Amino acid sequence: MNFFLETLKVIGLSFYYFLESLVFLIVPKRKKNVSGEIVLVTGAGSGIGRLLSLKFASLGATVVLWDINQEGLKETSRLVKQNGAVRVHCYICDCSKREDIYRVADQVKKEVGDVTILVNNAGVVTGKTFLDAPDPLVEKTMEVNIMAHFWTYKAFLPAMIASNHGHLVSIASSAGLVGVNRLSDVFSSRWPNLLPLLDPEYVAEKIVTAIRQDQVILVLPRFGYLVMFLKSILPVKTAILLADYLGILNLMDNFKGRAKKD
Ligand SMILES: NC(=O)c1ccc[n+]([C@@H]2O[C@H](COP(=O)([O-])OP(=O)(O)OC[C@H]3O[C@@H](n4cnc5c(N)ncnc54)[C@H](O)[C@@H]3O)[C@@H](O)[C@H]2O)c1
């Protein structure tokens, strides 16, 4: 295709996609049926991973639960079954270790089948300032929060491509949009109404809906969309000044860690 036609195509499609997104602002997208899908959730032993597992199981999916925390996995499995779902498979997998991921992935393929929705949710929080964080802890964070996504994709994506059916989900943190001193699960902003603590149940429901509607990016709280926009137009110094003023830079100062593994 020559340059002129190629440019015309890009302009036409851009216009079409823009109109399409406007339409979907008014008319909600249909939610796809996930019954019969094989959904793997990493870090399913607690928190958001547990809630996502419960929701997918209640929608008729087979759920494959990964975690390093055996007790947590057992509890999630019990809750899934208590809700009436039976297709639940638990695996201890240390997502900071590539070999462990590949080994357990092979086991899942043999024992359950090809994963069709992969939710990379497992995450660790250092809770320390950059210079105070011990090197092994920094490495562990990178291995679990980032590298594990690559290894799980390598393990499960080929079958999705072969069957032209699959969905990859990466749970990250909107704290990454700005950069926050320490990382924490306790909120101490000067602007609690602007940056509210989110209810995990609400977050899990939004994630499942986004997956079922094939939404490419979901930012919670919605204020994050504004942050993304401001970041792209403001001078860096102004953005940092604003983030500091709003208390975003220090919103995780009171991190104490998880008191008890559930
Ligand atoms: N809770 C929040 O405020 C918040 C905010 C933004 C983003 N997130 C992200 O959402 C995800 C879930 O958060 P959460 O609050 O439910 O966390 P959580 O601590 O309750 O759950 C994380 C799970 O990951 C598991 N895990 C940790 N290391 C692992 C490893 N090496 N291998 C396998 N499993 C491992 C833990 O055992 C735990 O069950 C994380 O990726 C987190 O970064 C959470």
Side-chain angles (χ1 to χ4, degrees), residues 12-27:
L13 279 177
S14 302
F15 188 64
Y16 172 78
Y17 293 144
F18 182 70
L19 284 182
E20 185 188 54
S21 68
L22 284 184
V23 169
F24 285 134
L25 278 181
I26 303 158
V27 187

Side-chain angles (χ1 to χ4, degrees), residues 88-197:
V88 49
H89 306 263
C90 296
Y91 294 88
I92 298 288
C93 179
D94 184 346
C95 291
S96 68
K97 296 193 166 60
R98 189 184 57 204
E99 299 75 18
D100 219 31
I101 290 176
Y102 287 156
R103 181 182 57 76
V104 182
D106 280 343
Q107 215 180 326
V108 169
K109 286 179 213 169
K110 281 188 201 119
E111 294 171 3
V112 188
D114 287 327
V115 167
T116 53
I117 300 180
L118 166 62
V119 185
N120 267 303
N121 162 79
V124 289
V125 173
T126 67
K128 299 188 183 305
T129 58
F130 175 65
L131 290 178
D132 285 343
D135 293 353
L137 196 54
V138 174
E139 279 172 349
K140 181 70 81 183
T141 305
M142 293 299 157
E143 283 156 1
V144 179
N145 297 14
I146 298 174
M147 296 315 297
H149 295 217
F150 287 80
W151 313 139
T152 51
Y153 292 166
K154 286 196 111 179
F156 296 111
L157 185 57
M160 294 184 189
I161 293 172
S163 61
N164 194 26
H165 179 77
H167 201 129
L168 301 176
V169 183
S170 166
I171 307 289
S173 173
S174 44
L177 293 173
V178 265
V180 174
N181 292 331
R182 306 166 193 265
L183 289 171
S184 151
D185 53 3
V186 181
F187 184 73
S188 65
S189 168
R190 280 179 261 158
W191 293 80
N193 289 330
L194 191 60
L195 299 165
L197 242 192

Side-chain angles (χ1 to χ4, degrees), residues 160-247:
M160 294 184 189
I161 293 172
S163 61
N164 194 26
H165 179 77
H167 201 129
L168 301 176
V169 183
S170 166
I171 307 289
S173 173
S174 44
L177 293 173
V178 265
V180 174
N181 292 331
R182 306 166 193 265
L183 289 171
S184 151
D185 53 3
V186 181
F187 184 73
S188 65
S189 168
R190 280 179 261 158
W191 293 80
N193 289 330
L194 191 60
L195 299 165
L197 242 192
L198 297 175
D199 171 27
E201 177 64 37
Y202 164 82
V203 171
E205 187 57 39
K206 290 296 253 185
I207 293 171
V208 171
T209 301
I211 294 169
R212 295 185 64 198
Q213 293 182 328
D214 286 329
Q215 184 175 336
V216 179
I217 296 175
L218 170 70
V219 182
L220 296 173
R222 292 175 71 83
F223 174 77
Y225 291 111
L226 180 65
V227 171
M228 284 165 83
F229 173 68
L230 289 178
K231 236 181 99 173
S232 63
I233 57 162
L234 290 177
V236 175
K237 284 181 182 172
T238 313
I240 293 172
L241 189 72
L242 266 180
D244 192 25
Y245 174 65
L246 293 172

